[in-house]
Amino acid sequence: MLSTNTELALNPRLAQAIANPLFPALDNQLRTGRHISADELEAHSLLQEYYPELEAFYQRYQVELVRAPEGFYYLRPRSTSEINTAILSELEMLVGKVLCYLYLSPDRLINEGVFSLLDLQEEVLTLANETALLRMVNQRAGGSDLDRRKLQDKLKSAIRRLKRLGMVSAVGSQDKFRISEAVFRFAADVRTDEDPRELQLRMIRDGEAVAGQEDPTDHAQGGEQAENDPEPDEQEELQ
């Protein structure tokens, strides 16, 4: 029989938050793993205004509405969560770490925060071992031109995946993007007194960026593929 217990009255402020016309889309975005940064002004303002009420609301689903020190919001599921989870691939984790490194770099100010897929590719190849990178795409990779093209395609797929999670946003042409402060989700394990950029660089070069980490982004909500996007998605543009 359907429970009709009405002893727990709905918090008036929570009712206001849920009644907001922005809430359905925002709720869907959060449940699919998206990170909401200050760039998304209206959604971010809604979360900021009603954070205590919405934090309690999502606890009922065994997930935590997190307000990161950098000011962005996201849902972090628990083991008992009623919201599905998906796992980022090894290459996607590495790309996220490199994006965080770029966000901290002087180049971000010089370029007004805008980078290209070519910038990303060059930085990944500079910071990480190419042989290891190619083997993330194909365990039998021998360094051929075909292997390198496949790596480029996978880097594009990684950027698209992280765009859906709110880590980057498209700018102008199809290969340009702006990095959101939400990439600091990949730096949750480097908040120490040490220079964050130097520590991030060392983790990338030592392979700690991708191996053996219980990184918070390992568990991004939603029903996306854990390791590889389906082939048709390879043709999807960044925008």
Side-chain angles (χ1 to χ4, degrees), residues 19-87:
N20 190 297
L22 296 173
F23 182 76
L26 172 60
D27 180 55
N28 183 61
Q29 288 178 328
L30 287 169
R31 289 170 188 264
T32 56
R34 189 170 181 85
H35 297 63
I36 308 299
S37 66
D39 292 338
E40 300 176 72
L41 181 60
E42 291 184 324
H44 187 270
S45 296
L46 179 61
L47 289 168
Q48 194 170 36
E49 173 70 20
Y50 295 101
Y51 176 70
E53 292 77 24
L54 290 174
E55 182 185 33
F57 171 77
Y58 284 111
Q59 284 177 355
R60 299 182 63 185
Y61 296 92
Q62 301 300 310
V63 295
E64 181 183 1
L65 178 61
V66 177
R67 177 167 52 191
E70 294 77 21
F72 60 90
Y73 296 84
Y74 63 93
L75 290 183
R76 179 163 57 203
R78 304 188 180 111
S79 59
T80 55
S81 172
E82 297 182 28
I83 296 178
N84 293 332
T85 62
I87 300 173

Side-chain angles (χ1 to χ4, degrees), residues 93 97 185-189 209 213-219:
M93 288 287 292
K97 292 282 187 180
R185 184 89 189 272
F186 292 96
D189 49 1
Q213 295 289 317
E214 183 60 25
D215 192 290
T217 40
D218 278 358
H219 304 286

Side-chain angles (χ1 to χ4, degrees), residues 5 46 63 114 119 142 152 160 168 182 235:
N5 186 349
L46 179 61
V63 295
V114 177
D119 293 332
Q152 291 174 358
R160 289 195 296 268
V168 300
Q235 304 303 318

Side-chain angles (χ1 to χ4, degrees), residues 89 91-92 95 99 116-121 124 137 148-164 168 174-177 228-231 233-239:
S89 72
L91 184 60
E92 288 165 348
V95 169
L99 288 175
S116 69
L117 289 171
L118 180 59
D119 293 332
L120 173 67
Q121 179 182 329
V124 168
V137 177
R148 290 186 174 87
R149 285 198 297 273
K150 286 183 177 179
L151 175 60
Q152 291 174 358
D153 289 341
K154 290 300 180 183
L155 288 175
K156 291 178 183 178
S157 293
I159 279 289
R160 289 195 296 268
R161 175 78 183 276
L162 296 175
K163 175 177 176 285
R164 292 194 291 272
V168 300
Q174 295 170 349
D175 69 337
K176 297 289 182 70
F177 57 87
N228 297 304
D229 289 333
E231 287 303 318
D233 190 51
E234 296 295 335
Q235 304 303 318
E236 179 188 347
E237 302 295 353
L238 178 60
Q239 293 178 308

Side-chain angles (χ1 to χ4, degrees), residues 154-202:
K154 290 300 180 183
L155 288 175
K156 291 178 183 178
S157 293
I159 279 289
R160 289 195 296 268
R161 175 78 183 276
L162 296 175
K163 175 177 176 285
R164 292 194 291 272
L165 295 178
M167 305 291 185
V168 300
S169 56
V171 176
S173 64
Q174 295 170 349
D175 69 337
K176 297 289 182 70
F177 57 87
R178 180 174 280 109
I179 305 173
S180 163
E181 66 266 23
V183 295
F184 275 94
R185 184 89 189 272
F186 292 96
D189 49 1
V190 298
R191 290 192 177 102
T192 68
D193 293 335
E194 188 173 348
D195 180 86
R197 189 164 181 260
E198 289 301 317
L199 186 51
Q200 194 83 339
L201 174 60
R202 190 174 73 239

